[in-house]
Each structure stands twice: as structure tokens, then as C-alpha cells.
Amino acid sequence: MHILSVIVPAYNEEKTILALLQKVAEVALINGMQKEVIVVDDCSHDATKQLVLQYKAQYPEQSLIYCRQPENKGKGAAVRLGIAHASGDCIIIQDADLECDPEDYNVLLQPFLMEDLQVLYGSRFLKSNNKHSYRHYYHYLGGRLVTLVANILYGQRLTDEPTCYKLFKASLLKSIPLKCNGFEFCPEVTAKVAKRGIKIREVPISYYPRSIEDGKKIKYIDGLKAIWTLLKYKFVK
């Protein structure tokens, strides 16, 4: 039986973390697949830790691992810690902000398992009713630009490289020497997967963006870092 490890990097997500954990718990995965949830607290200074531990105590039957970084290091470092704790044979990244809906897990898992894929991305742009969802136009343009650069450099045909929903075979993801600490996790893992000769497939997913006022953390500088990361790993291992 397959197990899906859901890695949730979280930094100051007290407003959404409980709703996210409930949503993940409510999803019945295809083929009787089980799931484990790994919340990696990136040294939050709000109530994220207390809320997750209270939830874990309230629902001991759920497979929930909580770990905390000793200092704030960024999403990439949190994901690496989550990978180290993952025991499933499939791994998906799940941001804690509810922009992506866990109901889409099965949308990814069905082709992933049936076609025995190594990696599959969920694209926000392949779903037509998402195209006007972006709260800030520069987020939209930045995502498009990063995707274009990834396609040019690595011979992919992606529509949404910076997507949160990246699904991997655990054996593949654990074999990749990831180094980036911040949001550059996404371009780094894309680059290193592509350099292994893997063509990354996509499926449409839903998208419910939050605003900067609501706590969205990514900035335009992160888009520049993403492009630099794609360029760097074209020539560096």
C-alpha cells in the first residue's frame, strides 16, 4: 500500500494551519492510500506551534509529525527537514496558506500512480477559471517569467514552474542533493530533476491566492532569485 507524505513548511501560519490540517485529514486518497503529515515549523513566533501540538493531541489517530527549526531558515530548509522525516513512498509539498486545495491530491495521484511517474506538478494555469485569480499582477508575470526561463534552460514544457504542488517519488526526491534555504527550493528541484533527463508532467489544479495583507510572503526579489537559481544549476551540480 502506498503512503503519501505531505510536507507542510509553516512560518507564522496561525490563521490557517488548523483549517489546512483538517482539510488534509478529510481527503480520502485513491486506492486506499494512506498519508502522513509532516509540519515543519520554521521557527514561528506566533501560535503555530501550540495549535499544531493541540491538534496532534486531539487527533492521535492521525499520522502527524511536528518538527521545529531552531531558527528561521526559509522554505527550502524546512522542506529538506520534512524530507528527512518522510517515510512514505510518495512526497508532496503543501503550503500552509490554503492557496492550494488538498482535494486536488487525487487529481495528481491518479496519473502519477497509473503511469508510474517519478514527478508531477500541479499547474494553476491549466485550469481556466484560475487565470484571473492573482491578487497582484507582478506575481502572475513573475511566475510566467520563471517558467519561461526554466523551459528554455532545461527543455521542459511547463506552464507553472513555481507551483506549490510538486509530487515526487520519495526515492527520487531523497536522492537529490538540495541546498537552497528559501523559496529557491522550487527552481532548484526543477533544475536538478530536469538534469536527470526527466520530463515533468503537469495536471490542472485549483488556486485560491491570498494577498500580501493576508500574509503572502513571496516578493519580487524571490522571482529574481529563482531565475538566478535556474541559471546557476544549469552549470553547477
Side-chain angles (χ1 to χ4, degrees), residues 196-237:
R196 296 192 179 193
I198 298 171
K199 289 292 185 182
I200 302 170
R201 283 269 312 278
E202 293 178 307
V203 292
I205 59 168
S206 301
Y207 183 51
Y208 308 96
R210 63 177 177 176
S211 66
I212 294 172
E213 295 74 25
D214 292 331
K216 191 174 183 69
K217 300 176 180 70
I218 197 162
K219 302 182 175 82
Y220 78 91
I221 191 67
D222 295 304
L224 297 178
K225 289 180 180 179
I227 292 171
W228 166 244
T229 301
L230 288 168
L231 287 166
K232 178 174 70 172
Y233 285 114
K234 178 66 177 176
F235 306 103
V236 177
K237 287 186 179 180

Side-chain angles (χ1 to χ4, degrees), residues 59-70:
Y59 300 100
E61 73 280 4
Q62 295 182 21
S63 179
L64 173 60
I65 298 168
Y66 172 83
C67 47
R68 180 179 170 88
Q69 298 276 44

Side-chain angles (χ1 to χ4, degrees), residues 36-196:
E36 66 174 7
V37 180
I38 305 159
V39 177
V40 183
D41 182 353
D42 196 20
C43 200
S44 299
H45 51 76
D46 66 356
T48 296
K49 176 181 179 179
Q50 292 85 349
L51 291 172
V52 174
L53 292 179
Q54 288 170 12
Y55 181 93
K56 180 176 173 64
Q58 185 176 357
Y59 300 100
E61 73 280 4
Q62 295 182 21
S63 179
L64 173 60
I65 298 168
Y66 172 83
C67 47
R68 180 179 170 88
Q69 298 276 44
E71 59 183 346
N72 180 247
K73 296 181 179 180
K75 179 176 180 176
V79 169
R80 289 203 308 274
L81 183 56
I83 293 169
H85 282 84
S87 62
D89 42 10
C90 307
I91 297 175
I92 194 168
I93 314 302
Q94 170 71 64
D95 288 346
D97 55 16
L98 294 176
E99 288 193 333
C100 293
D101 190 347
E103 286 290 338
D104 281 333
Y105 289 171
N106 288 326
V107 173
L108 286 98
L109 284 169
Q110 186 163 8
F112 187 84
L113 296 175
M114 287 186 63
E115 299 174 38
D116 195 28
L117 301 176
Q118 295 192 71
V119 58
L120 182 67
Y121 286 7
S123 172
R124 297 163 291 181
F125 296 113
L126 287 177
K127 199 161 189 175
S128 58
N129 60 349
N130 287 340
K131 65 180 180 179
H132 299 301
S133 294
Y134 281 79
R135 302 285 186 91
H136 297 275
Y137 196 55
Y138 73 82
H139 284 149
Y140 170 85
L141 289 178
R144 286 300 206 185
L145 179 58
V146 170
T147 300
L148 176 63
V149 173
N151 288 339
I152 292 171
L153 289 175
Y154 295 97
Q156 298 289 327
R157 299 185 66 181
L158 297 170
T159 63
D160 190 7
E161 190 285 324
T163 180
C164 166
Y165 276 178
K166 292 175 164 66
L167 175 63
F168 304 90
K169 278 190 175 179
S171 57
L172 170 66
L173 190 56
K174 286 176 178 284
S175 73
I176 297 174
L178 297 169
K179 299 176 181 178
C180 292
N181 284 336
F183 290 112
E184 316 94 274
F185 160 76
C186 286
E188 181 188 14
V189 77
T190 296
K192 291 182 176 180
V193 164
K195 287 178 77 170
R196 296 192 179 193

